[in-house]
Amino acid sequence: MVAPVLEVVGGHTLSGHLPVSGAKNSALVLLTASILCSDQCRLSNVPSLVDVARMGQVLEAFGIKVKRPEPNCWELDGSAIAHAHAPYEIVSKLRASFFAIGPLLARLGTARVPLPGGCAIGARPVELHVRGLKSLGADVHIDGGMVNASVPGGRLKGAKIYLDYPSVGATETLMMAATLADGETIIENAAQEPEVVDLANLCRAMGARIKGHGTNTIVIDGMEKLHGAEYATIPDRIEAGTFLVAGAITRSDLVVGPVVPDHMTAVIAKLREVGCRIVPEGDNHLRIQAGDRLLPTDIETLPFPGFPTDMQPQLMALLTLAEGSSIITETVFENRLRHVGELSRMGADIRVKGSAAIVSGVPFLSGAPVTATDLRASAALILAGLTARGTTIVQELKHLDRGYENIEQKLRGVGAKIRRITDPNELSADMSSADRLVQTTTEEVKAGDRPPVSIN
Ligand code: UD1
């Protein structure tokens, strides 16, 4: 049995509306916030994704009762939470499940969570989480790959915490932990990402006293107890950005939404710089009208409100076709340029120097068999395939399925020629060697680097 692949036939202009799902990175952490109370929390606009399902399994392992009355609605009942031990098989595949350590410690006074390990885009340590939890009074010991944490006296104590780096996950872990701590916690140099704000808003709906979310200083006044709440996840700004790039790269006129335009300022600015017109459409949609020419631009990934690292591969795909050279500098993750080799197989001209990629625009890309190396790299290869001459076959869809809800159906809805193939005999004639290629790649992955468990 060979793994499924995506076949993308390039060169078709797109038109219409691309719907945006709830934000994966918000939903994952909103689900863990349900640990904080013994009532029921009801979360809507939760995307149906492999990563979200994995988070559900982790919560069930803790004893949280999970119901899904509708595909995008989750009801979480934390009244019978009993275990504070996260299963290694899932944490090793889903970094965000490590973030449960904060609410577990706050609610149960103990937590045993495996270190998440590295992933395809970098080492991704958790020392900022651990140091912050120690500041809140937790005893934390790492032994045999396991983080064992407990709270002497049973309740965390408010503290002033300075994060060396505005880590999204560390800010979320510590903010959740501090909601039930005794006294005031101040997190300085906190992450300002919209997903952090979304989590703060859910915690506030649960009764938490939080101020300053969305700035670099978050102040949490701990409560003895939180209560249940109903809450809707914000739209996924990375999915929306990916769709805007789909419009730009196919020189199309598309409407994308719902979105919160303020979450997308950096991406919109860069798309305008490359020559696209982007205007609001109604209250919460954006219309992109691509120009005939694509201009080069430089990009440096940064914490919010800077340009998001999760949009870097997609913008790189676009800039491969700009009239001139662009420099893309990745500052957030140390190993997030692995898609360069795959884009190059499609005819892109990209040179990597350290953490920078120099992208010299080419007149066109050519369809080719390519292998996705992580979630956002998968999106970049699909985008490249949409504009390439000929057919592109994207392999290793396990990454894509972690983070994009129904992406093929959504793209087909605006005219893209894209389909998932499980039988190699179904591949188009010009990809007749692809069945061989699918098998070869599976073997290479087995024999080569450890399987990437990219977790962004
Ligand atoms: C989250 C997002 C991910 C996004 C990233 C940066 C989720 C589930 N994932 O990941 O999609 O790409 O933010 O916007 O929300 N670091 C440390 N020590 C720590 C923690 C982080 O050195 O204790 C480093 C990381 O290795 C990385 C950088 O800080 O180089 C940013 O990581 P962080 O903001 O923590 O990302 P995540 O929360 O893991």
Side-chain angles (χ1 to χ4, degrees):
M1 161 96 177
V2 286
V5 299
L6 270 190
E7 181 191 69
V8 188
V9 182
H12 297 275
T13 307
L14 312 180
S15 69
H17 169 229
L18 268 167
V20 175
S21 299
K24 171 185 78 92
N25 287 350
S26 264
L28 288 173
V29 76
L30 297 182
L31 290 171
T32 62
S34 66
I35 298 170
L36 288 168
C37 76
S38 57
D39 301 333
Q40 178 171 289
C41 288
R42 186 182 162 94
L43 300 176
S44 54
N45 203 29
V46 177
S48 290
L49 298 168
V50 170
D51 272 6
V52 173
R54 282 184 182 142
M55 186 61 92
Q57 289 169 358
V58 175
L59 296 177
E60 281 177 331
F62 297 148
I64 293 197
K65 289 187 212 115
V66 177
K67 279 200 223 142
R68 288 177 69 184
E70 294 157 36
N72 297 111
C73 179
W74 288 57
E75 287 173 355
L76 303 125
D77 175 349
S79 57
I81 184 165
H83 306 282
H85 184 167
Y88 171 74
E89 312 76 64
I90 303 177
V91 180
S92 63
K93 292 194 188 104
L94 177 64
R95 177 181 167 86
S97 56
F98 181 82
F99 307 171
I101 193 169
L104 281 176
L105 263 185
R107 172 100 188 271
L108 300 177
T110 174
R112 204 167 135 73
V113 184
L115 283 168
C119 77
I121 60 177
R124 305 184 83 173
V126 290
E127 86 286 358
L128 297 174
H129 304 240
V130 169
R131 229 185 286 148
L133 292 171
K134 284 183 175 168
S135 304
L136 291 171
D139 275 343
V140 188
H141 300 282
I142 300 177
D143 189 20
M146 188 67 76
V147 182
N148 300 292
S150 60
V151 185
R155 189 164 179 207
L156 293 166
K157 290 200 172 40
K160 195 161 183 171
I161 300 168
Y162 171 79
L163 294 178
D164 290 341
Y165 184 90
S167 154
V168 175
T171 303
E172 292 170 340
T173 301
L174 299 173
M175 188 167 70
M176 286 190 278
T179 58
L180 291 176
D182 182 11
E184 183 181 81
T185 297
I186 301 176
I187 306 175
E188 287 184 342
N189 200 26
Q192 302 174 46
E193 268 69 1
E195 294 76 19
V196 173
V197 176
D198 211 26
L199 174 63
N201 286 334
L202 168 62
C203 291
R204 282 161 59 98
M206 295 167 74
R209 286 190 290 228
I210 302 178
K211 287 187 298 194
H213 42 299
T215 75
N216 62 4
T217 306
I218 302 178
V219 181
I220 304 121
D221 192 6
M223 309 277 292
E224 288 209 4
K225 240 180 128 177
L226 298 183
H227 53 71
E230 283 196 28
Y231 192 79
T233 315
I234 53 169
D236 196 311
R237 65 195 168 103
I238 305 302
E239 186 192 26
T242 303
F243 290 163
L244 289 177
V245 177
I249 207 165
T250 57
R251 313 289 206 276
S252 300
D253 185 343
L254 281 178
V255 174
V256 173
V259 297
V260 180
D262 285 351
H263 294 172
M264 305 191 59
T265 309
V267 171
I268 293 171
K270 285 295 158 190
L271 288 171
R272 287 188 175 138
E273 268 177 49
V274 304
C276 297
R277 182 166 182 265
I278 299 184
V279 289
E281 178 99 355
D283 280 351
N284 59 359
H285 284 65
L286 291 172
R287 179 170 183 185
I288 179 158
Q289 293 170 301
D292 292 336
R293 299 178 61 198
L294 276 175
L295 305 173
T297 187
D298 294 340
I299 288 175
E300 182 171 318
T301 62
L302 288 168
F304 191 86
F307 188 90
T309 174
D310 288 353
M311 280 299 299
Q312 178 262 106
Q314 300 90 314
L315 259 285
M316 184 182 289
L318 180 64
L319 291 172
T320 62
L321 296 167
E323 293 175 19
S325 295
S326 308
I327 300 178
I328 298 180
T329 311
E330 173 58 55
T331 75
V332 178
F333 292 110
E334 71 269 25
N335 191 18
R336 203 174 200 176
L337 294 170
R338 301 195 342 162
H339 41 281
V340 165
E342 300 304 302
L343 290 170
S344 302
R345 302 190 72 245
M346 299 178 72
D349 180 353
I350 308 171
R351 272 178 305 135
V352 174
K353 267 192 164 245
S355 60
I358 301 146
V359 185
S360 305
V362 294
F364 62 90
L365 297 176
S366 304
V370 285
T371 301
T373 48
D374 65 65
L375 168 57
R376 306 303 170 184
S378 317
L381 295 172
I382 292 174
L383 294 169
L386 291 174
T387 187
R389 292 188 181 170
T391 302
T392 296
I393 301 292
V394 184
Q395 304 175 78
E396 292 296 328
L397 301 185
K398 62 176 189 261
H399 301 298
L400 184 74
D401 294 339
R402 289 186 24 242
Y404 285 92
E405 188 180 47
N406 301 329
I407 189 167
E408 298 126 78
Q409 290 91 321
K410 288 181 183 183
L411 287 171
R412 269 202 301 274
V414 292
K417 300 287 174 266
I418 177 170
R419 64 182 181 130
R420 189 172 288 236
I421 296 179
T422 42
D423 176 0
N425 297 321
E426 274 188 55
L427 288 165
S428 317
D430 58 346
M431 282 284 153
S432 56
S433 60
D435 52 345
R436 219 172 39 237
L437 169 123
V438 169
Q439 277 150 5
T440 312
T441 309
T442 310
E443 278 155 26
E444 276 167 6
V445 169
K446 271 190 217 136
D449 313 338
R450 74 192 154 64
V453 278
S454 141
I455 353 222
N456 58 304

